[in-house]
Amino acid sequence: MGHVSFYSNLFYLPFTKNNKLMKIAIVGAGQVGSALAAGLWRAGHRVTLGVRNPASAKSEKAVVLVPGATITSVREACAEAEVIILTTPPEAVLALV
């Protein structure tokens, strides 16, 4: 019997709207944000990473991991998104509000 991973289907099922690909903003470009962005981008979604400093070393690393994603400010990333995913540490959330 073949094994189907829940995570392999994660990027196809919940982030569709009427079977259309979505514009997704991921706030944070660390390990979690970059991993989610890579999977969602490979699934065909338009992914934007929102970060405090788009010119930082962490942002540059995310560009390498997710070549199809756009990296911009948090405000710009969220402005056009249909889905917003926060991947920041809990103590950083208050600074985003």
Side-chain angles (χ1 to χ4, degrees):
M1 178 182 252
H3 174 72
V4 177
S5 169
F6 166 77
Y7 296 106
S8 66
N9 293 324
L10 175 68
F11 300 113
Y12 295 96
L13 298 177
F15 296 110
T16 60
K17 183 177 179 182
N18 300 326
N19 295 322
K20 294 181 181 177
L21 298 175
M22 299 186 74
K23 295 182 253 179
I24 301 172
I26 298 178
V27 179
Q31 292 178 347
V32 174
S34 295
L36 283 171
L40 291 166
W41 174 72
R42 280 194 304 270
H45 298 286
R46 191 174 119 204
V47 178
T48 303
L49 286 161
V51 297
R52 283 183 284 182
N53 181 2
S56 72
K58 186 186 280 187
S59 298
E60 294 297 323
K61 184 176 178 182
V63 169
V64 173
L65 295 173
V66 192
T70 303
I71 297 185
T72 187
S73 71
V74 173
R75 182 179 299 263
E76 289 177 29
C78 295
E80 297 290 323
E82 296 171 293
V83 174
I84 300 170
I85 301 171
L86 293 177
T87 64
T88 58
E91 59 274 3
V93 173
L94 291 177
L96 298 172
V97 180

